Amino acid sequence: MSGHLKPQASRDGGSSCCLARRKENLPAELLLQRQHGECQTLNNFIQTFTSPAIPLIIKNQGTIILRSMKIFMETESQILQPTYNPEFLSHSNSSSSFDEEPPLLEELGINFDHIWQKTLTVLNPMKPADGSIMNETDMTGPTVFCLTLGATLLLAGKAHFGYVYGMSAIGCLGIHALLNLMSIAGVSYGCVASVLGYCLLPMVILSSCAIFFSLQGILGTLLALIIIGWCSLSASKIFTSALAMERQQLLVAYPCALFYGLLALLTVF
């Protein structure tokens, strides 16, 4: 029985090999060549990664990476370095020139120091006037005093804003023409209006008194005459100092007294 079984096993083993060969449809020589080729490929792969040329390749690749990093750093440093830009310089020059410009109030002709000095000159008729300051065309103080005169008259029950402005404009035109005829050096209309407007300050005091008591009496008349003399004396002093008319102050004071007399009539009556 055993002798019969062994050939059967060998027969079965041979049949399985035959079945495998039939399944692959390849002869035994081709299978050997295929196995030999796979072993050769594995050997080549191992030799490639164990060859001494691999560190050189890695070294070369590292050198390339370092060079590329160096080029990148140099490019970035060039970007971050300041460059010459004429537009930036022009903007910086314009900003520095803007810092050197005078203040806005000075450009508009509003100088509080000069306004205060002119006001003190008007309040003190005996104080000598500075011709360089009085020759300026400053309308800030006159505008404020004109509005204050109209407001005090309104508080006293007299709405005479139109009369105040109209008589002031006509009076400035007449005195401007007269001063140009009397003086060698001409004078501008703005300068005349500025001086006459500053000298309205005593008239504002008179109109403020009219709020509290009536000026239609002997006391009111005397007070009005004092205010008229005060205004005309201050205006004539400023005109003579600004136009070099030292010996003509009384001639200049007379038309100024007429002008302020009309405003005093508006205030009293």
Side-chain angles (χ1 to χ4, degrees):
M1 291 294 291
S2 62
H4 290 290
L5 289 173
K6 285 181 180 179
Q8 186 67 30
S10 64
R11 210 178 281 152
D12 291 337
S15 62
S16 63
C17 291
C18 291
L19 287 173
R21 288 173 188 170
R22 286 174 186 172
K23 190 180 289 186
E24 293 181 358
N25 294 321
L26 294 174
E29 292 83 2
L30 291 177
L31 287 174
L32 292 174
Q33 290 179 3
R34 183 176 178 184
Q35 291 177 2
H36 181 71
E38 290 178 356
C39 292
Q40 188 68 29
T41 304
L42 182 60
N43 292 330
N44 292 334
F45 182 76
I46 294 171
Q47 288 178 4
T48 301
F49 279 90
T50 57
S51 64
I54 292 298
L56 295 176
I57 295 171
I58 295 173
K59 184 178 180 182
N60 292 333
Q61 290 180 354
T63 306
I64 293 170
I65 293 171
L66 289 175
R67 287 180 180 175
S68 61
M69 290 178 65
K70 184 178 179 182
I71 293 170
F72 176 74
M73 294 296 291
E74 289 178 354
T75 307
E76 189 147 342
S77 64
Q78 288 178 0
I79 293 172
L80 294 176
Q81 282 179 358
T83 56
Y84 175 76
N85 192 353
E87 294 182 358
F88 177 75
L89 291 177
S90 63
H91 286 302
S92 61
N93 292 332
S94 62
S95 62
S96 62
S97 63
F98 179 76
D99 294 336
E100 294 175 357
E101 289 183 358
L104 180 61
L105 293 177
E106 188 175 347
E107 288 185 354
L108 294 175
I110 301 173
N111 193 333
F112 291 105
D113 187 21
H114 289 181
I115 292 172
W116 179 247
Q117 290 182 13
K118 291 177 183 179
T119 305
L120 292 179
T121 304
V122 172
L123 291 176
N124 186 7
M126 302 303 173
K127 179 183 177 181
D130 189 359
S132 61
I133 295 177
M134 297 302 169
N135 205 13
E136 295 177 354
T137 306
D138 176 24
M139 297 303 297
T140 306
T143 304
V144 172
F145 294 153
C146 230
L147 290 173
T148 307
L149 178 61
T152 51
L153 288 175
L154 184 63
L155 290 174
K158 303 170 184 177
H160 294 332
F161 280 99
Y163 292 105
V164 170
Y165 296 144
M167 293 175 62
S168 299
I170 295 172
C172 289
L173 284 174
I175 295 176
H176 173 254
L178 183 63
L179 290 175
N180 282 325
L181 292 174
M182 294 175 62
S183 63
I184 298 174
V187 62
S188 63
Y189 179 80
C191 180
V192 173
S194 177
V195 173
L196 293 177
Y198 272 104
C199 293
L200 275 177
L201 183 57
M203 196 63 61
V204 173
I205 297 173
L206 180 64
S207 62
S208 299
C209 294
I211 299 173
F212 302 103
F213 56 90
S214 176
L215 299 176
Q216 296 179 5
I218 298 174
L219 181 60
T221 303
L222 292 176
L223 186 60
L225 290 175
I226 293 172
I227 294 296
I228 291 170
W230 188 358
C231 293
S232 59
L233 184 60
S234 298
S236 61
K237 177 190 66 175
I238 294 171
F239 282 132
T240 53
S241 63
L243 300 175
M245 301 168 61
E246 287 81 8
R247 297 182 181 181
Q248 300 176 355
Q249 185 174 358
L250 292 177
L251 294 175
V252 176
Y254 177 69
C256 292
L258 293 178
F259 169 70
Y260 290 111
L262 292 175
L263 294 177
L265 288 176
L266 284 177
T267 305
V268 173
F269 300 102

